[in-house]
């Protein structure tokens, strides 16, 4: 059974940092892109960042560009999201996703999802 397990969420102050991890089990994703999405209360799930299978290419939503960094360790089957300069508007449940079929920014194109981890940023 394929599972993606996020960890590292919690409470941070504005301007602070958090590092999220997503560990995959049940299969290797070393040949597939992996991504982070987030969903704030009352809003749709939105794309945050994606990383290619090799880690050589990354793309970010404009709202997090320059503040968040996505990375991966294929030996550990794990993807990370380093979040710096956090803002209250970053408050959301953050989800890990893997193996998109097409548009890496589309929720509909991902085949595997984690359960999510809550990130709350206080002002």
């Amino acid at each position: 059974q394929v599972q993606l397990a996020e960890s590292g969420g919690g409470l941070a102050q504005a301007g602070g940092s958090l590092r999220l991890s997503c560990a995959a089990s049940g299969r290797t994703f070393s040949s597939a892109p992996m991504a982070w999405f987030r969903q704030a209360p009352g809003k749709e799930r939105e794309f945050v960042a994606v990383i290619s299978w090799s880690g050589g290419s990354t793309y970010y939503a404009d709202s997090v560009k320059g503040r968040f960094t996505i990375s991966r360790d294929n030996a550990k089957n794990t993807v990370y999201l380093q979040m710096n300069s956090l803002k209250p508007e970053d408050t959301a449940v953050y989800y890990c996703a893997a193996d998109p079929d097409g548009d890496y920014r589309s929720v509909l194109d991902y085949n595997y999802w984690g359960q999510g981890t809550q990130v709350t940023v206080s002002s």
Side-chain angles (χ1 to χ4, degrees):
Q1 182 179 0
V2 178
Q3 288 188 326
L4 300 177
E6 302 96 336
S7 61
L11 178 65
Q13 290 189 332
S17 299
L18 285 173
R19 188 193 194 206
L20 306 183
S21 299
C22 171
S25 60
R27 61 157 280 186
T28 178
F29 289 102
S30 60
S31 61
M34 296 186 75
W36 289 94
F37 286 74
R38 67 186 182 185
Q39 187 167 16
K43 295 188 177 181
E44 294 186 350
R45 194 170 300 188
E46 65 175 6
F47 168 76
V48 174
V50 65
I51 187 166
S52 63
W53 68 270
S54 67
S57 296
T58 56
Y59 299 94
Y60 299 91
D62 288 343
S63 58
V64 307
K65 201 173 296 183
R67 300 188 298 119
F68 290 9
T69 302
I70 189 171
S71 61
R72 67 189 298 165
D73 184 338
N74 284 340
K76 295 181 178 180
N77 219 16
T78 299
V79 65
Y80 305 97
L81 186 68
Q82 178 66 44
M83 305 186 295
N84 298 329
S85 302
L86 283 164
K87 303 176 180 180
E89 50 263 44
D90 293 320
T91 295
V93 177
Y94 283 72
Y95 296 90
C96 173
D99 196 20
D101 288 328
D103 184 356
Y104 62 82
R105 296 162 298 181
S106 173
V107 169
L108 299 177
D109 278 24
Y110 282 82
N111 295 301
Y112 301 97
W113 289 91
Q115 292 300 306
T117 185
Q118 176 71 47
V119 170
T120 303
V121 183
S122 62
S123 57

